[in-house]
Amino acid sequence: MSQKPAPIPPRITIFGRGSYAESLRIGEILRKETVGGALLVAAAIIALVWANSPASDSYFALRDFKIGYEPWHLDLSLGAWAADGLLAVFFFLVGLELKREFVAGDLRQFNKSVVPVAAAAGGVVVPAVIYAVINFTSPESLRGWAIPTATDIAFAVAVLAIIGSHLPSALRIFLLTLAVVDDLIAITIIALFYSENIQPVPLLLALIPLGLYTLLAQKYRRFFGTRVWAAWLILLPLGIVVWGLVHASGIHATVAGVLLGFAIPVLRSQASGGPTAGPGLSEVFEHRFRPISAGIAVPIFAFFSAGVAVGSWEGLRSALADPVAVGIIAALVLGKPIGIMGTTWVLTKTSKAALDTSFKWIDVFGISLLAGIGFTVSLLVAELSFGHGTVQDDHAKVGILAASLLASVLATVVLRARNRVYRLEEEEEKVDADNDGIPDVYAKDQHS
């Protein structure tokens, strides 16, 4: 008598395939971000060309033009309004996405969230260490240690949408999860390390409109979900007051965007049919406001932040030779893959975690390269680290642009090749749909 094989202990899947609804939602986000990513790149290119053209003075005059109400400390340049104001819209979407992932997405399940969260942490710590080692001898340069810790979710997801049409959905979900957790860590870093002269009174006052905003959004979620005008006339003014008070408190105003995003309910109320009846207010707002973020807010921020006057080729070489730029490039291009891949490998060797069978380690390597695209948040942290328009800020931005370009090219090379492999496999599966090992076209000819 043959003995039954010993039962195999259950293993945690690192990158689960996710529910069908989750995959559809991820795919829709990927399609939208393709356009947003293209606008982001176009805005950055226009800014770079303008800032290094004979008309460069007009670009910097536009960027530094101040407008606002001085008694409220809102007499800001257009560049500052883009960083503090428009980018708050981007972080509002990040807040919505974060809350949705932890409440209704794959991150609510420990076995699906533990490794992406750990990998994101590894992708933050290792780049920060690499940058710090390279700039250890300069306390001023060391202030930029957090610049290479962030992954640009819009840019990275847009690149993946363009080059990875046949990659497994589990791999796509992993990138989005990784970038979302990465953004959460970056937001925490900004709040803790880049907030100066905290004023407790405005911060405490901000709790009043934030509490009212939360109460209205939670209690009347159906009302705000079905009436587009209601959010603009009721919730938006409250959100602006929260933003203004957080800005006055000394905490970077983009944190207000995240808090407002967290306040929006994810699930439907029982009066509206419960969680299974359809999308909640968070998803409704995400669909409604993502075009504003991807099509207006982020490209305008990139336009005002990416314009760096490098001058001649000699100026470009000088900027790239600065330890600030060297540290950023090394941290994003090398540190991100080392941190993400290293953390994932350690977990597979020390726990029950295992790679999803739908893809290979080389695919994870391609995604980890793609995570080295640190654009939007990295540009913001550079300004917070060194001050807007300083030499170190300019050199940091050159490093960010160079690293993001290099990371996207390297990731494209790897993932393009892998996409071709998966495309061929899909074609073979279509040919042999009945899985009998004989191509269906050949079998049909034999039968006829």
Side-chain angles (χ1 to χ4, degrees):
M1 296 178 63
S2 60
Q3 294 182 345
K4 294 183 178 179
I8 300 175
R11 308 194 76 191
I12 299 173
T13 300
I14 285 188
F15 315 127
R17 295 179 182 274
S19 63
Y20 178 68
E22 183 78 358
S23 297
L24 288 179
R25 189 176 69 84
I26 298 299
E28 186 171 351
I29 291 175
L30 288 172
R31 288 191 293 273
K32 288 184 179 179
E33 293 293 357
T34 304
V35 178
L39 292 174
L40 177 65
V41 173
I45 292 174
I46 292 172
L48 278 171
V49 172
W50 192 354
N52 290 277
S53 71
S56 60
D57 289 343
S58 60
Y59 169 81
F60 294 109
L62 177 65
R63 185 195 67 182
D64 299 333
F65 179 76
K66 288 191 174 183
I67 186 173
Y69 191 54
E70 175 60 31
W72 291 356
H73 305 287
L74 293 176
D75 184 22
L76 307 176
S77 67
L78 291 179
W81 274 112
D84 293 358
L86 287 179
L87 211 56
V89 179
F90 167 77
F91 278 100
F92 173 75
L93 269 296
V94 171
L96 291 178
E97 186 63 36
L98 279 170
K99 186 175 181 180
R100 177 175 170 78
E101 286 296 326
F102 282 104
V103 173
D106 286 339
L107 287 182
R108 75 186 189 279
Q109 303 177 35
F110 178 79
N111 65 331
K112 291 184 178 181
S113 65
V114 59
V115 174
V117 170
V124 168
V125 173
V126 174
V129 170
I130 289 177
Y131 178 91
V133 169
I134 293 175
N135 290 273
F136 183 74
T137 58
S138 173
E140 283 297 317
S141 299
L142 197 57
R143 282 182 53 84
W145 63 271
I147 296 173
T149 59
T151 295
D152 190 296
I153 185 171
F155 205 158
V157 170
V159 172
L160 183 64
I162 294 171
I163 66 175
S165 57
H166 296 276
L167 293 174
S169 60
L171 201 62
R172 297 165 179 263
I173 292 174
F174 173 69
L175 174 63
L176 184 61
T177 302
L178 182 73
V180 164
V181 176
D182 195 301
D183 279 343
L184 177 60
I185 298 174
I187 292 163
T188 305
I189 290 174
I190 291 173
L192 294 179
F193 297 99
Y194 293 97
S195 298
E196 299 179 354
N197 301 321
I198 304 299
Q199 303 295 323
V201 174
L203 190 59
L204 291 174
L205 289 176
L207 297 177
I208 299 174
L210 179 61
L212 180 58
Y213 175 96
T214 305
L215 177 64
L216 292 174
Q218 294 285 339
K219 189 172 182 179
Y220 301 103
R221 61 187 73 180
R222 183 177 181 182
F223 173 74
F224 289 112
T226 56
R227 293 167 176 81
V228 177
W229 60 267
W232 292 100
L233 295 182
I234 301 174
L235 293 183
L236 179 60
L238 289 172
I240 292 175
V241 174
V242 174
W243 177 89
L245 289 171
V246 171
H247 182 274
S249 72
I251 295 177
H252 198 267
T254 52
V255 176
V258 180
L259 296 176
L260 293 170
F262 282 164
I264 302 300
V266 172
L267 304 177
R268 276 178 175 250
S269 64
Q270 292 301 325
S272 299
T276 60
L281 186 60
S282 177
E283 188 172 350
V284 171
F285 277 11
E286 183 182 331
H287 285 281
R288 193 179 294 173
F289 299 121
R290 184 172 294 278
I292 298 175
S293 172
I296 299 174
V298 175
I300 291 178
F301 166 76
F303 172 77
F304 283 116
S305 295
V308 180
V310 296
S312 61
W313 286 107
E314 183 61 33
L316 179 59
R317 284 195 295 268
S318 176
L320 291 174
D322 190 325
V324 170
V326 173
I328 291 172
I329 295 171
L332 285 174
V333 178
L334 299 178
K336 280 290 184 180
I338 292 173
I340 294 170
M341 290 284 290
T343 303
T344 304
W345 185 84
V346 168
L347 283 176
T348 58
K349 299 301 180 183
T350 59
S351 69
K352 296 180 180 181
L355 283 177
D356 190 282
T357 56
S358 65
F359 55 86
K360 310 297 181 184
W361 276 103
I362 185 64
D363 302 321
V364 183
F365 176 62
I367 291 296
S368 67
L369 285 172
L370 200 58
I373 300 176
F375 198 82
T376 306
V377 180
S378 292
L379 290 173
L380 174 62
V381 176
E383 293 183 4
L384 296 176
S385 299
F386 302 124
H388 191 68
T390 63
V391 174
Q392 286 179 314
D393 180 38
D394 287 346
H395 290 180
K397 290 178 178 179
V398 170
I400 293 168
L401 296 173
S404 298
L405 177 61
L406 184 57
S408 61
V409 169
L410 293 175
T412 297
V413 171
V414 174
L415 294 177
R416 271 285 191 187
R418 296 301 300 164
N419 190 68
R420 191 178 304 112
V421 171
Y422 287 112
R423 178 176 57 81
L424 292 175
E425 289 180 355
E426 288 181 10
E427 291 176 355
E428 290 176 359
E429 290 177 358
K430 290 178 181 178
V431 171
D432 185 20
D434 53 6
N435 295 319
D436 61 357
I438 303 175
D440 293 343
V441 175
Y442 178 77
K444 185 182 294 185
D445 292 341
Q446 289 290 92
H447 179 73
S448 60

